[in-house]
């Protein structure tokens, strides 16, 4: 937001950025602005179009509060709040391409984003290809003259491969394409894709930014060079996030740093504990030394998130049901990022086209929330016991 907040610690930024109590009669938070019509006083005013706000769809002080916090955190030129994480992905992709262009998407990327590319962009005349998330500098060999965008998600939010963002950025730029990175897992607290060469960063704000499982939102942050295209597409398509939703994102953001710290600690403790349990054949958490991309994670990230996966030894469906059906604290559901722990059985098969998922056994993804860690371990220990009996 200001030069001052750029220099501050993230904790200070999260606490102070994007709000100005003096503008709100001394109240600490920017309230919910609800509005479509914005009034102009004179013909000269409406002709000049220089008022800070012109019409509801372009944003209001509540949405701007969120946007300036994320801009500060990502070190971006600007940020736009949009109705969902998926909307952030679709706008970002559309901002890069015209009919006849080509895009490359990580094989580990969020599945609804793939469906948008395959089901919509292809129909609009854009060719869509996928790449191995571990391709690194090898991306250069996949670039075509008409490749205009590369979409990475690091780590993949089901299988947790870390991508070499500086190498991908170099290859994308050499070929005249922009690099889009989904940074939902680490948040800008622990990973800064723009500083490593990305052009556009997207977030499922629904997850960590909101933090309480009670609203859907997305953000798009860009470099100065990429901004105009993103804002043009968003404006043309009419995407807008309400003041009510924006208020809840802003409220969640104020505690992001302390939540991430707790999520990180708890997730790591449970991941390490799972690694030594009998039924577990692998734990997919990039901050564990056993993870194949641990070195890359250590090079580029300063922390880790709430979310990881683990693989249990091969067993029939009945064992998976025995595991998840009687959990007492972990609940089953899509999404993640709230205060409550979640456990989701995952089948990768159809979500991959470059390389089949070859890991034997049953995959589970967990989000570690704020219940007592020992209570969570006990819940998982009982589930592992049930799995072992059913296997
Ligand atoms: C959930 C998610 C999204 C989509 O966000 P929505 O707000 O649910 O549309 C995008 N990327 C990742 C990594 C996600 O986990």
């Amino acid at each position: 937001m200001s030069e001052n907040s750029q220099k501050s610690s993230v904790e200070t930024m999260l606490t102070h950025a994007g709000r100005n109590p003096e503008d709100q009669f001394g109240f600490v938070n920017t309230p919910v602005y609800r509005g479509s019509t914005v009034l102009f006083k004179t013909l000269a005013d409406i002709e000049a179009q220089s008022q800070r706000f012109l019409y509801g769809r372009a944003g209001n002080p509540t949405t701007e509060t969120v946007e300036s916090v994320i801009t500060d955190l990502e070190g971006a030129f600007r940020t736009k709040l949009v109705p969902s994480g998926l909307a952030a992905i679709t706008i970002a992709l559309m901002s890069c391409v015209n009919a006849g262009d080509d895009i490359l998407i990580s094989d580990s990327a969020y599945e609804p984003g793939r469906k948008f590319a395959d089901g919509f962009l292809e129909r609009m005349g854009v060719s869509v290809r996928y790449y191995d998330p571990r391709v690194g500098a090898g991306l250069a060999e996949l670039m075509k003259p008409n490749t205009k965008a590369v979409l990475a998600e690091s780590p993949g939010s089901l299988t947790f491969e870390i991508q070499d963002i500086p190498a991908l950025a170099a290859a994308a730029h050499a070929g005249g394409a922009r690099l889009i990175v989904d940074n939902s897992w680490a948040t800008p607290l622990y990973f800064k894709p723009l500083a490593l060469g990305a052009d556009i960063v997207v977030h499922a704000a629904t997850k960590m930014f909101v933090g309480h499982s009670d609203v859907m939102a997305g953000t798009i942050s860009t470099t100065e060079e990429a901004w105009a295209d993103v804002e043009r597409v968003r404006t043309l398509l009419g995407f807008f996030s309400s003041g009510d939703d924006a208020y809840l994102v802003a409220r969640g953001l104020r505690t992001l740093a302390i939540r991430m710290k707790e999520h990180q600690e708890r997730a790591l403790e449970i991941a390490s504990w799972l690694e030594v349990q009998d039924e577990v054949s692998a734990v997919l958490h990039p901050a564990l030394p056993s993870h194949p991309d641990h070195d890359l994670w250590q090079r580029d990230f300063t922390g880790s998130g709430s979310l990881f996966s683990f693989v249990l030894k091969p067993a029939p469906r009945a064992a998976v049901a025995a595991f998840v059906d009687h959990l007492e604290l972990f609940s089953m559901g899509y999404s993640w990022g709230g205060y409550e722990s979640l456990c989701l059985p995952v089948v990768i098969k159809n979500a991959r086209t470059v390389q089949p998922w070859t890991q034997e056994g049953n995959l589970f993804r967990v989000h570690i929330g704020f219940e007592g860690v020992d209570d969570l371990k006990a819940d998982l220990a009982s589930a592992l016991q049930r799995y072992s009996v059913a296997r």
Side-chain angles (χ1 to χ4, degrees):
M1 182 191 159
S2 62
E3 272 179 39
N4 270 344
S5 52
Q6 290 286 359
K7 286 179 207 126
S8 306
S9 66
V10 286
E11 288 90 344
T12 302
M13 240 184 241
L14 283 166
T15 312
H16 288 273
R19 61 186 181 84
N20 188 1
E22 275 174 35
D23 292 346
Q24 315 297 344
F25 309 98
F27 284 96
V28 171
N29 295 299
T30 310
V32 176
Y33 278 81
R34 290 197 184 95
S36 50
T37 308
V38 180
L39 302 177
F40 300 86
K41 277 215 163 90
T42 67
L43 178 65
D45 288 342
I46 204 163
E47 283 171 347
Q49 296 279 295
S50 59
Q51 281 183 195
R52 182 160 165 221
F53 299 102
L54 302 171
Y55 182 53
R57 206 170 53 220
N60 63 49
T62 322
T63 57
E64 282 199 351
T65 288
V66 173
E67 289 161 359
S68 61
V69 176
I70 305 305
T71 293
D72 281 3
L73 289 175
E74 289 288 5
F77 175 64
R78 272 179 205 154
T79 297
K80 206 70 200 185
L81 185 68
V82 293
S84 69
L86 182 59
I89 294 169
T90 62
I91 294 168
L93 284 172
M94 280 188 283
S95 78
C96 299
V97 292
N98 293 305
D101 288 343
D102 172 72
I103 60 172
L104 280 163
I105 299 181
S106 164
D107 209 20
S108 59
Y110 184 65
E111 202 178 359
R114 295 177 67 120
K115 286 186 174 158
F116 166 75
D118 296 338
F120 185 87
L121 289 182
E122 285 267 12
R123 213 151 53 75
M124 297 292 124
V126 175
S127 70
V128 179
R129 293 178 297 139
Y130 292 88
Y131 67 88
D132 174 352
R134 296 194 166 108
V135 72
L139 185 77
E141 286 153 42
L142 300 176
M143 296 292 295
K144 290 182 181 174
N146 62 337
T147 306
K148 292 293 158 58
V150 177
L151 173 63
E153 179 183 316
S154 188
S157 61
L158 293 175
T159 46
F160 296 90
E161 299 88 343
I162 297 287
Q163 300 197 25
D164 190 338
I165 296 300
L168 296 182
H173 294 162
R178 287 193 182 128
L179 176 63
I180 304 165
V181 178
D182 185 329
N183 194 24
S184 302
W185 181 80
T187 82
L189 270 62
Y190 297 154
F191 188 50
K192 305 246 192 204
L194 296 177
L196 296 177
D199 303 276
I200 301 175
V201 176
V202 294
H203 280 278
T206 308
K207 314 291 168 53
M208 299 316 314
F209 292 173
V210 166
H212 295 75
S213 308
D214 52 3
V215 68
M216 307 286 301
T219 64
I220 314 174
S221 307
T222 81
T223 59
E224 186 166 3
E225 186 274 329
W227 175 253
D229 287 335
V230 165
E231 180 55 357
R232 181 177 46 82
V233 167
R234 186 203 66 82
T235 302
L236 289 172
L237 291 172
F239 278 109
F240 164 73
S241 217
S242 77
D244 298 80
D245 288 352
Y247 185 89
L248 289 171
V249 183
R251 184 185 167 108
L253 279 170
R254 300 300 175 198
T255 57
L256 181 66
I258 53 177
R259 285 188 288 111
M260 285 305 287
K261 208 167 135 206
E262 282 292 320
H263 282 303
Q264 164 168 251
E265 242 170 61
R266 284 148 191 269
L268 266 173
E269 182 173 341
I270 290 177
S272 311
W273 174 81
L274 275 169
E275 264 198 316
V276 297
Q277 304 305 306
D278 273 349
E279 296 299 311
V280 178
S281 51
V283 177
L284 313 179
H285 187 315
L288 292 179
S290 61
H291 191 277
D293 305 321
H294 180 66
D295 290 348
L296 206 51
W297 172 81
Q298 217 162 25
R299 186 192 74 184
D300 292 345
F301 289 67
T302 56
S304 58
S306 64
L307 197 72
F308 67 92
S309 290
F310 56 90
V311 184
L312 298 186
K313 292 175 181 167
R317 183 184 170 281
V320 177
F323 189 95
V324 296
D325 286 358
H326 305 284
L327 286 164
E328 287 181 356
L329 299 178
F330 283 88
S331 314
M332 204 171 13
Y334 299 113
S335 196
W336 49 279
Y339 51 83
E340 81 292 5
S341 293
L342 297 168
C343 176
L344 185 71
V346 179
V347 179
I348 293 296
K349 256 189 233 132
N350 302 328
R352 294 277 170 143
T353 50
V354 177
Q355 277 172 330
W357 180 252
T358 54
Q359 185 107 41
E360 295 253 315
N362 293 304
L363 184 64
F364 297 80
R365 185 184 78 175
V366 283
H367 161 74
I368 304 302
F370 296 145
E371 299 90 345
V373 177
D374 290 340
D375 298 341
L376 291 175
K377 279 187 197 163
D379 202 17
L380 291 173
S382 308
L384 289 168
Q385 184 63 35
R386 293 192 299 273
Y387 187 89
S388 159
V389 170
R391 184 158 75 88

